[in-house]
Amino acid sequence: MRLSELSRAAGVPTATVKWYLRIGLLPRGVPTGPNQARYDDAHLRRLVLVRTLAEVGGLSAEATRSVVDALDDSSRGLHDVLRVAHHALAGPAPANPVPEAATAAVDGFLADRGWSVPPDAPARVELAAVLGALERLRQRGTGVSPATAPPMDTPDEVRALLTPYADAVDALAAGEIAGAPDDMPRDELVERVVTGTVLMERAVTALRRIAQEHYSAERYTV
Amino acid sequence: MRLSELSRAAGVPTATVKWYLRIGLLPRGVPTGPNQARYDDAHLRRLVLVRTLAEVGGLSAEATRSVVDALDDSSRGLHDVLRVAHHALAGPAPANPVPEAATAAVDGFLADRGWSVPPDAPARVELAAVLGALERLRQRGTGVSPATAPPMDTPDEVRALLTPYADAVDALAAGEIAGAPDDMPRDELVERVVTGTVLMERAVTALRRIAQEHYSAERYTV
């Protein structure tokens, strides 16, 4: 198909398709003339994927490229591609150093739970940043823990705070990983894992906000 | 305390404190000289809150201001402040129109579940955008549903996809709203709800990624 047909089939404006071609997020087509090229179903599929990562996942062009490069590198295993997607989703590292006590608290919690991730996993740093922020708020008498609660770096306090959240996502994540069919071709499998990670993360966040609004309306409005 | 002491107590650089003062995210202190002012514990508390929303919550200055203004407006009820926080967290609306079928599917799912949110709730739009993206991927043979699955706007398919996620956040959200003490002063309560919403959302996302990496390593690495 021609660029205009590719654009229509994917529902992506031609200007955006040309931009993706220029920055290499979409491979060039087969030239058919001085200013024309032919595209196939692989282009269409990649275009829909790139659009999804960028628009719904909110990934920058650079982050999208890192995911697409990992998909295209068939020497990378599925676990490796998932980690690239997590790095791409994570955004910049926290502007301020995360307190060591908060990092130690996260590591203790994860070890107790038997969850093991490498030290550079962005989610580990992110969770420590959340604990550090909660502790700052607690010291100032603001936030989810009263100032009289034990500090956030006390293992019992951290366990009490995080366990309901970890329990809630545990079954989800286990099901997501277990649900991937064994006999699926690698390309389909990694696309499925990446889009599932990116899109269902948005869905979890949206559903939590909806549930909060629902229960908050029940309790606080007449 | 002086500006330098306020900065030290909150762990926020003086340049950032001055910027917050200039754009009105932090109220001015009581002038004590041509270039000096005195700040009190209310300033310190607000400074820590603003920093948390901006740095950990990732809110823009404009979004932070909308939350802070809602906190300061004592005529606003708690439910109303929570909705302002959700709008602030939501970021820009989707660049492309969300398919009507996806919006109808979300409304049907929420109605079945008995969760009611107003039509302009950003999370409702966000969830519809996720369903719309999943459907586009499905049509192109990419993503979490095989191309042979029924379309995403079939109620049974939507229910099968979203129910485990909705179940996972249901108990969390109910506990978060129910856990707020009845006798807490309004200011503390709304700060607690807002910080809990913003920070624990980051925690949920981080924990889901950690759990995914853990289960993915178990299945896909030796």
Side-chain angles (χ1 to χ4, degrees):
Chain A
M1 69 195 104
R2 291 149 52 138
L3 191 137
S4 58
E5 295 163 314
L6 176 67
S7 154
R8 208 163 28 242
V12 177
T14 53
T16 307
V17 177
K18 287 178 184 168
W19 186 64
Y20 287 160
L21 285 166
R22 206 155 51 233
I23 62 174
L25 280 180
L26 191 65
R28 305 222 160 250
V30 179
T32 55
N35 268 312
Q36 290 220 325
R38 202 171 39 239
Y39 302 89
D40 60 18
D41 275 353
H43 289 95
L44 178 53
R45 186 178 168 132
R46 172 56 50 92
L47 179 55
V48 172
L49 176 69
V50 166
R51 183 199 176 185
T52 303
L53 294 177
E55 282 186 18
V56 188
L59 267 61
S60 67
E62 196 189 344
T64 305
R65 185 199 306 274
S66 68
V67 173
V68 160
D69 285 349
L71 290 174
D72 286 342
D73 178 356
S74 57
S75 74
R76 280 179 184 265
L78 186 60
H79 180 65
D80 207 26
V81 179
L82 178 70
R83 291 194 57 212
V84 171
H86 282 170
H87 275 270
L89 277 165
N96 288 297
V98 175
E100 273 178 43
T103 304
V106 166
D107 287 344
F109 176 76
L110 296 180
D112 277 358
R113 212 170 163 102
W115 284 357
S116 148
V117 287
D120 71 335
R124 170 180 171 268
V125 179
E126 174 92 0
L127 192 57
V130 169
L131 285 189
L134 284 171
E135 174 62 14
R136 273 200 310 273
L137 289 169
R138 191 193 63 81
Q139 286 173 3
R140 303 263 50 93
T142 300
V144 293
S145 301
T148 50
M152 270 300 152
D153 48 1
T154 302
D156 285 348
E157 173 77 0
V158 171
R159 197 178 305 117
L161 175 75
L162 293 184
T163 296
Y165 295 90
D167 286 346
V169 297
D170 192 336
L172 285 183
E176 284 164 334
I177 300 297
D182 259 330
D183 58 351
M184 204 178 234
R186 180 213 177 255
D187 281 9
E188 278 180 50
L189 191 58
V190 293
E191 281 197 23
R192 182 188 146 118
V193 166
V194 167
T195 55
T197 299
V198 173
L199 289 177
M200 296 319 287
E201 180 162 311
R202 303 300 288 253
V204 169
T205 302
L207 283 166
R208 174 167 177 263
R209 291 182 194 164
I210 288 169
Q212 281 184 330
E213 284 204 31
H214 167 74
Y215 288 112
S216 158
E218 272 192 354
R219 176 163 180 186
Y220 292 111
T221 62
V222 190
Chain B
M1 68 195 103
R2 291 148 54 136
L3 192 137
S4 58
E5 294 163 314
L6 176 67
S7 155
R8 209 165 25 244
V12 177
T14 53
T16 307
V17 177
K18 285 177 184 170
W19 186 64
Y20 287 160
L21 285 166
R22 205 153 52 230
I23 63 175
L25 281 179
L26 190 65
R28 305 222 160 249
V30 178
T32 54
N35 268 312
Q36 290 220 326
R38 200 171 41 238
Y39 301 89
D40 59 20
D41 275 353
H43 289 95
L44 178 53
R45 186 178 168 134
R46 172 55 50 93
L47 179 56
V48 171
L49 176 68
V50 165
R51 182 199 178 187
T52 302
L53 294 176
E55 282 186 19
V56 188
L59 267 60
S60 66
E62 197 189 344
T64 305
R65 185 200 305 276
S66 68
V67 174
V68 159
D69 285 349
L71 290 175
D72 286 342
D73 178 356
S74 58
S75 74
R76 281 180 185 265
L78 187 60
H79 180 64
D80 206 28
V81 179
L82 177 70
R83 293 196 55 213
V84 171
H86 282 169
H87 276 269
L89 277 165
N96 288 298
V98 174
E100 273 178 42
T103 305
V106 166
D107 288 343
F109 176 76
L110 296 181
D112 277 359
R113 212 172 164 102
W115 284 356
S116 148
V117 287
D120 71 335
R124 170 180 171 269
V125 180
E126 173 93 359
L127 191 56
V130 169
L131 285 188
L134 285 170
E135 174 62 14
R136 273 200 310 274
L137 290 168
R138 189 191 65 80
Q139 287 172 2
R140 303 262 50 91
T142 301
V144 293
S145 300
T148 50
M152 271 300 151
D153 48 3
T154 303
D156 285 348
E157 173 78 0
V158 171
R159 198 178 305 115
L161 175 76
L162 293 184
T163 296
Y165 295 90
D167 287 346
V169 296
D170 192 336
L172 285 183
E176 285 165 334
I177 300 297
D182 259 330
D183 58 351
M184 205 179 233
R186 181 216 176 252
D187 281 9
E188 277 179 52
L189 192 58
V190 293
E191 280 197 24
R192 181 187 147 121
V193 166
V194 167
T195 56
T197 299
V198 173
L199 290 177
M200 296 319 288
E201 181 161 311
R202 305 299 289 253
V204 169
T205 303
L207 283 165
R208 175 168 177 263
R209 292 183 193 163
I210 289 169
Q212 282 184 328
E213 283 204 33
H214 168 74
Y215 288 112
S216 158
E218 271 192 354
R219 177 163 179 187
Y220 293 111
T221 64
V222 190

